[in-house]
Amino acid sequence: MTTLSDLNTCDQAAFADRLRGLYEHSPWIPERAWSQRPFATVTALKQALQGVVSSATLDEQLGLIRAHPELAGKAAIAGELTAESTSEQAKSGLNLCSPEEFTTLHKLNADYNEKFGFPFILAVKGPTGQGLTRETVIASFARRLKNQRSDEIAECLRQIHRIAEIRLNELLGVSLAFGPQIMQWSEDLAQWSDDADGLTCAYMTEAHRHTSVRLADMMRASGMSVTIDAVGNVVGRYLSDAPGAKTLITGSHYDTVRNGGKYDGRLGILLPIAIVQQLHERGEKLPFHFEVIGFAEEEGVRFRSTFLGSNAVTGQFNMSLLDAVDADGVTMRKALLDAGHDPATIPFVARKREDVLGFVEVHIEQGPVLLERGLPLGVVTAIAGSSRFLIELTGLASHAGTTPMTMRKDAAAAAAEIVLLVEKRCSQADSLVGTVGQLAVPGGSVNVIPGACKLSLDIRAADDAVRKAAVEDIMDGIAAICKRRQIEWHAERIVEASAAPCAPWLMDQFGAAVERTGLQRFDLLSGAGHDAMAMASLTGVAMLFTRCGNGGISHNPLETMTADDADLAAVTLLDLLRNFTPKTA
Ligand code: HGY
Ligand code: MN
Ligand code: MN
């Protein structure tokens, strides 16, 4: 078995020889990385190898890509693959393709090579290293065939680094203490959904309640005392023996968007549970109580309100929301009562400021920044503020065939102008983004001019003044469009959340822990909202982001991450806990 210390002490030829199996037929990569020894950690070695590729010429990068075999291609059929590729393709059952699958893959290989001039590369051992299914491989192949060439070169290189990471783990006998468990628990929780297809877990539905019970079981089994509070937060406490100990809180949300991903929110709950499991097994206590909260609702899918769970914890829960109704006319109050909760006790969920040391949240980035930089982790500087509205446009429904174009009050045409207005206005400042995520003509017919149209607005920015100015301009723009088109309009503000800066004293502790893993510290803004922005009203907050695969996609079933990145995030959070320094006055 090769060790990191061997690699740190052997000469360049031996170094390249030991690592020759990592990057297919490309010894130049370890040869160039050798000069950066000693590597403090395996992570540092991985980053150095990846850095060699990033700084290589495009020709060298294309040469590396072209050194890889096609999936289930001619070389595989002829038995000419390297030992590593043979075992990897077998792990995904690519050596057992049906004739139809072989035909499909043969066509995909031909089309992909024809379009890009290099083979399709995919780490077929996948996010957990246990192997992707043939169906997933073929679906990824077909999806990426539609990409631009430059994007595919970048993605092929990322896949090659993932292949090398898995091979390096095998070479060094690396076993991940937390990652596989976190990934498996994510699959476990995803079995409960409001919909037959895809993961939807809206507030207080049956799937939501099953999920809360499963989370409570996981927390209890890991050694925590567990309660489910009046809004459905699942709260696990890993108690300290220290007299007068205060509490450091972590967690995230377990509700999801419609047809969402398995890691959004849930990673931030499952990861600390895996850490507590290990601390408990070791009998290791912390000098503070460690509280893991599965917040019951953050996405606002069922009742359009957001941060219900974290707002209850900070004492900011708006009790009038109990009268909010869902699409079926069910009030939040009834949904809570049906789930066995007593809404009247919600105010007692609030924590006392003086009892809390801080709040840390681990979350997937939900964007492409870490992915494109080849970084597994990032430290969040601030969480963008957001304004959300529901807009109703009322024109005049009339005959599509007989109404002259100059005599229409077309609500959908007005909405179309508004969508483009939002896109244009929100392209005018850094970190400012605007989205019309919902757009509908209620009861529309093909041959009727839309008399009504409903749309949503989601405007965000790191700077509140920038966001508010954009909202004002957009509202003025809507007024002008509707006046010109003789459309009545009404805007209902459903979310107004100020930007939340993270606490430098806590950010720096995450940054130091990240650096101790052998990574460089990288700070970034969060364009997504998180429970940490609600918790910021109670205590100092900090967030650790993990890299998102598949181009950084999220709020989508394609949301993905690797067991290695989950493991590194857990190692980092555990390191922060062990070295935690409370804020000095
Ligand atoms: O919409 C958001 O930013 C978060 O995912 N709820
Ligand atoms: Mn989300
Ligand atoms: Mn989230």
Side-chain angles (χ1 to χ4, degrees):
M1 174 79 71
T2 299
T3 65
L4 188 61
S5 130
D6 295 340
L7 294 172
N8 277 331
T9 48
C10 65
D11 65 21
Q12 186 181 30
F15 183 87
D17 182 55
R18 283 182 168 86
L19 298 180
R20 71 182 176 288
L22 264 55
Y23 288 89
E24 203 88 347
H25 308 302
S26 304
W28 57 272
I29 297 170
E31 281 164 5
R32 291 186 198 174
W34 178 77
S35 59
Q36 298 177 50
R37 299 170 314 143
F39 302 103
T41 63
V42 175
T43 299
L45 170 57
K46 287 179 199 172
Q47 292 300 111
L49 292 163
Q50 292 174 24
V52 165
V53 176
S54 307
S55 49
T57 65
L58 178 59
D59 281 349
E60 289 173 321
Q61 292 172 346
L62 287 170
L64 170 61
I65 293 171
R66 290 182 179 124
H68 286 72
E70 291 179 340
L71 293 185
K74 299 180 210 56
I77 294 165
E80 294 161 359
L81 299 185
T82 59
E84 293 86 354
S85 288
T86 303
S87 97
E88 283 150 6
Q89 294 207 20
K91 191 90 175 173
S92 263
L94 288 172
N95 56 340
L96 304 172
C97 289
S98 66
E100 296 75 23
E101 286 170 330
F102 258 126
T103 306
T104 303
L105 281 165
H106 183 70
K107 175 89 171 54
L108 282 168
N109 275 315
D111 292 350
Y112 189 94
N113 257 305
E114 168 74 24
K115 179 174 179 181
F116 298 119
F118 49 78
F120 171 79
I121 312 281
L122 178 66
V124 292
K125 281 197 167 180
T128 62
Q130 297 311 306
L132 296 170
T133 62
R134 284 196 299 276
E135 295 74 22
T136 305
V137 170
I138 290 171
S140 301
F141 208 149
R143 186 177 72 250
R144 283 177 43 195
L145 182 57
K146 299 170 190 157
N147 282 349
Q148 300 293 318
R149 188 169 193 268
S150 57
D151 292 339
E152 270 307 292
I153 290 173
E155 183 60 21
C156 283
L157 292 175
R158 285 191 286 263
Q159 292 296 328
I160 288 169
H161 292 318
R162 176 61 182 152
I163 292 165
E165 175 170 62
I166 293 171
R167 291 178 180 178
L168 183 60
N169 286 347
E170 285 165 9
L171 180 72
L172 297 179
V174 169
S175 69
L176 303 174
F178 306 101
Q181 177 68 83
I182 294 164
M183 301 297 280
Q184 198 273 316
W185 280 341
S186 302
E187 294 299 322
D188 186 343
L189 288 188
Q191 68 182 302
W192 286 296
S193 173
D194 302 334
D195 300 331
D197 300 324
L199 174 55
T200 304
C201 184
Y203 188 50
M204 288 299 146
T205 61
E206 192 182 345
H208 188 268
R209 300 209 303 259
H210 277 303
T211 304
S212 66
V213 169
R214 184 74 187 96
L215 274 175
D217 291 346
M218 289 172 177
M219 289 178 177
R220 205 169 288 114
S222 75
M224 288 190 256
S225 60
V226 185
T227 54
I228 297 181
D229 70 21
V231 286
N233 293 328
V234 185
V235 182
R237 283 176 66 83
Y238 187 64
L239 298 177
S240 169
D241 293 335
K246 294 193 173 189
T247 299
L248 179 68
I249 303 176
T250 189
S252 194
H253 58 97
Y254 64 89
D255 69 317
T256 71
V257 295
R258 289 189 188 86
N259 197 23
K262 297 171 189 150
Y263 309 102
D264 176 5
R266 286 139 182 239
L267 172 72
I269 309 166
L270 298 173
L271 182 145
I273 295 175
I275 289 174
V276 170
Q277 179 173 265
Q278 189 177 106
L279 291 172
H280 181 58
E281 281 166 4
R282 289 179 171 176
E284 182 180 346
K285 295 285 189 175
L286 297 166
F288 45 82
H289 302 311
F290 186 46
E291 188 168 279
V292 182
I293 304 181
F295 292 109
E297 196 285 342
E298 185 265 6
E299 298 287 5
V301 165
R302 183 174 178 186
F303 293 103
R304 298 181 338 201
S305 51
T306 57
F307 306 121
L308 288 180
S310 36
N311 278 340
V313 168
T314 62
Q316 310 287 321
F317 186 91
N318 175 354
M319 294 294 274
S320 67
L321 286 174
L322 292 170
D323 299 319
V325 292
D326 68 7
D328 300 324
V330 177
T331 64
M332 190 188 294
R333 176 181 288 103
K334 183 168 186 323
L336 283 164
L337 290 167
D338 289 351
H341 296 294
D342 176 2
T345 62
I346 288 173
F348 300 108
V349 168
R351 299 300 192 275
K352 292 193 186 73
R353 186 181 302 276
E354 60 273 18
D355 294 346
V356 180
L357 292 169
F359 176 74
V360 290
E361 181 173 2
V362 179
H363 202 289
I364 55 171
E365 178 202 334
Q366 298 186 286
V369 173
L370 294 175
L371 184 74
E372 288 180 355
R373 284 174 172 268
L375 290 173
L377 304 177
V379 177
V380 175
T381 55
I383 303 161
S386 65
S387 301
R388 289 187 196 175
F389 298 86
L390 294 179
I391 295 177
E392 294 199 11
L393 304 175
T394 309
L396 181 65
S398 54
H399 198 295
T402 57
T403 312
M405 292 308 286
T406 54
M407 293 175 67
R408 297 179 172 213
K409 296 178 181 178
D410 185 334
E417 275 203 68
I418 292 167
V419 171
L420 294 177
L421 162 71
V422 170
E423 183 183 57
K424 186 169 180 222
R425 178 57 181 82
C426 293
S427 304
Q428 292 174 6
D430 287 346
S431 98
L432 176 64
V433 289
T435 312
V436 174
Q438 293 172 320
L439 180 60
V441 176
S445 302
V446 171
N447 57 354
V448 177
I449 298 166
C453 193
K454 292 184 175 180
L455 60 156
S456 63
L457 263 193
D458 178 320
I459 313 290
R460 309 189 192 200
D463 178 310
D464 288 340
V466 168
R467 170 171 54 86
K468 288 176 179 172
V471 168
E472 196 176 325
D473 290 349
I474 288 166
M475 290 301 159
D476 292 346
I478 292 173
I481 289 165
C482 290
K483 184 168 182 230
R484 173 165 40 85
R485 288 177 170 271
Q486 301 176 67
I487 302 284
E488 290 171 27
W489 68 289
H490 171 70
E492 180 194 354
R493 187 189 298 267
I494 53 173
V495 170
E496 185 69 12
S498 301
C502 292
W505 68 272
L506 202 41
M507 278 174 62
D508 289 346
Q509 296 189 51
F510 256 142
V514 164
E515 288 173 339
R516 286 192 286 267
T517 68
L519 287 176
Q520 68 175 95
R521 170 177 171 170
F522 177 74
D523 292 3
L524 71 167
L525 169 75
S526 172
H530 298 290
D531 287 301
M533 67 198 300
M535 293 297 285
S537 67
L538 177 74
T539 186
V541 302
M543 289 191 75
L544 181 70
F545 270 177
T546 61
R547 170 171 45 187
C548 265
N550 281 339
I553 198 165
S554 179
H555 281 185
N556 182 307
L558 287 174
E559 185 181 280
T560 188
M561 66 181 297
T562 68
D564 293 70
D565 287 359
D567 196 80
L568 203 54
V571 165
T572 301
L573 178 57
L574 177 54
D575 183 328
L576 178 143
L577 298 180
R578 285 176 170 154
N579 295 283
F580 180 73
T581 311
K583 182 182 181 186
T584 49

